[in-house]
Amino acid sequence: MGNDVAAEKDALVLEVRHWHRASTALTDLEVLASSASWQALESYMGLSIRASLRALATGVAAEAGVLSTRLATAAGPDELEGIRAGLLRLRRRYEQMETVLDFYGDAINTRTSPRLGAVLRGLDALAVDSMDRVLRPLGLTTPPVLTYLDKGMGASILRSGARLWDASISPVAAIKITRHNLWRPTSLIHETGHQVAHMTGWTAELGAALYDRMAPASVLAAEAWRSWASEVAADVYAFALLGYAPLPGLATVVDGSTSKVFRMPIGDPHPFGWVRVLFNVGLCRSWFGPGPWDNIARTWMLRHPLDKASRDVQAIGKASVAQLPALADICTRMPLRAFGGVPLSSLADPHCVAPAELARLAERAGASLYTSSYLQRLEAMRVLAWTVLNGQSTTGSDDGVELWLRRIGGAAAAAA
């Protein structure tokens, strides 16, 4: 073996040893998140995440072990070149695996505080409940949910079954809840709507229907609505389960300067803010008639006159406003293959979350609204909707919401 080859092998020995140790260390999930944070997960979800992450980390460590074994007997430059190529692949896999672990570690570690951990368990349970209402009648299994707290204006979801950074599969639906909306978490149901839409194939079918309805009025608007189908579906899902409750929070999140409200970036799956708020108002009008949502629409249009938008955005806005009743019908009343040949409203009836119905529920329940295990089990979505609406009209504290979420989380943990 020449001096250059020997030097290369010596260098590779050190490098492979380093990455073997580093990869093996990834399998220690107690370093990833504290014991308290792991314990704050429901047992079945914690086991699922641990098993998935440990299998991924073990795979990276095994790859490093194979390189080490090959290196022990390697002699010629061609063999060493192949090992070096494998080492570079290993480093890339290690970095990808680190990204996966950091994501889940950060999410799980938001539960370090027992108080916040209990609240997030309650949100996990609400998310599962929201999907069960549609997936179970369709014979589909609801995936586990890991909610976590983070900064920012909007919530987000990493869907269960989605490809992760290392091409592995996400074992749970991981949903980000923003701090400013922790006590009015209607965005949680928007995000579970994304998961439901993915599992049922709703998005593509809805996009085609929206295009067909808008095309006679404006092909430009039709193309826009088809491109927005995934976010439209999620908004509609939140409306079907919570009614008017998500709208004020949505308007707050997407508001801003008039130029921002009318901005329509290429490739953005969200309707631009102006039309998105008015579409959600249209859903409320379609199912509930006149109401406080009309004031939101009025204020929104006064703040952001459509004539301040670009020509294309004006054209899309005008065509969309004219078709709001029809769009609401397509999204909620039209039978779809995704839902077994029935409309979404047959599985989640918006009439049940009309403001008057929510008020009647609260009046009948009285003091048991937040303590009844029966209501927790069967009416969690309606209690959430009423709680958010009631919170918007009063200046009371969030203590009742927190206790309710902690109670739901405790009940779910006990059942598991």
Side-chain angles (χ1 to χ4, degrees), residues 106-282:
D106 290 346
I108 294 166
N109 273 323
T110 62
R111 303 183 181 223
T112 301
S113 157
R115 176 183 173 188
L116 181 56
V119 169
L120 291 174
R121 279 200 305 273
L123 292 174
D124 296 343
L126 285 180
V128 169
D129 179 84
S130 74
M131 291 187 282
D132 259 350
R133 292 169 185 271
V134 169
L135 294 180
R136 183 175 293 178
L138 297 175
L140 298 173
T141 301
T142 299
V145 176
L146 169 69
T147 57
Y148 63 98
L149 195 64
D150 206 349
K151 62 183 182 297
M153 291 298 291
S156 62
I157 183 172
L158 177 64
R159 293 193 320 269
S160 174
R163 290 284 176 184
L164 298 173
W165 299 268
D166 64 341
S168 62
I169 301 297
S170 174
V172 298
I175 299 178
K176 168 190 164 184
I177 300 295
T178 57
R179 288 187 179 88
H180 73 93
N181 266 339
L182 179 59
W183 306 123
R184 57 173 188 182
T186 55
S187 59
L188 177 69
I189 315 307
H190 171 97
E191 301 307 331
T192 61
H194 280 302
Q195 182 75 48
V196 169
H198 172 72
M199 293 177 67
T200 59
W202 183 18
T203 299
E205 191 176 3
L206 178 61
L210 293 171
Y211 181 91
D212 290 344
R213 187 65 186 83
M214 293 298 299
S218 166
V219 172
L220 180 65
E223 290 173 345
W225 278 93
R226 180 165 58 188
S227 73
W228 297 335
S230 64
E231 293 297 331
V232 170
D235 276 358
V236 169
Y237 197 78
F239 167 77
L241 269 67
L242 300 177
Y244 167 57
L247 178 53
L250 170 66
T252 297
V253 167
V254 303
D255 200 6
S257 66
T258 294
S259 62
K260 174 181 176 292
V261 166
F262 286 123
R263 190 176 302 140
M264 196 169 70
I266 295 174
D268 188 349
H270 298 83
F272 58 89
W274 188 87
V275 80
R276 186 176 178 188
V277 168
L278 294 183
F279 168 68
N280 278 268
V281 169

Side-chain angles (χ1 to χ4, degrees), residues 13 44 65 76 79 108 143 161 163-164 207 235 252 319 321 379 386 396:
V13 167
Y44 76 93
E79 288 180 284
I108 294 166
R163 290 284 176 184
L164 298 173
D235 276 358
T252 297
V321 168
E379 298 286 10
W386 168 255

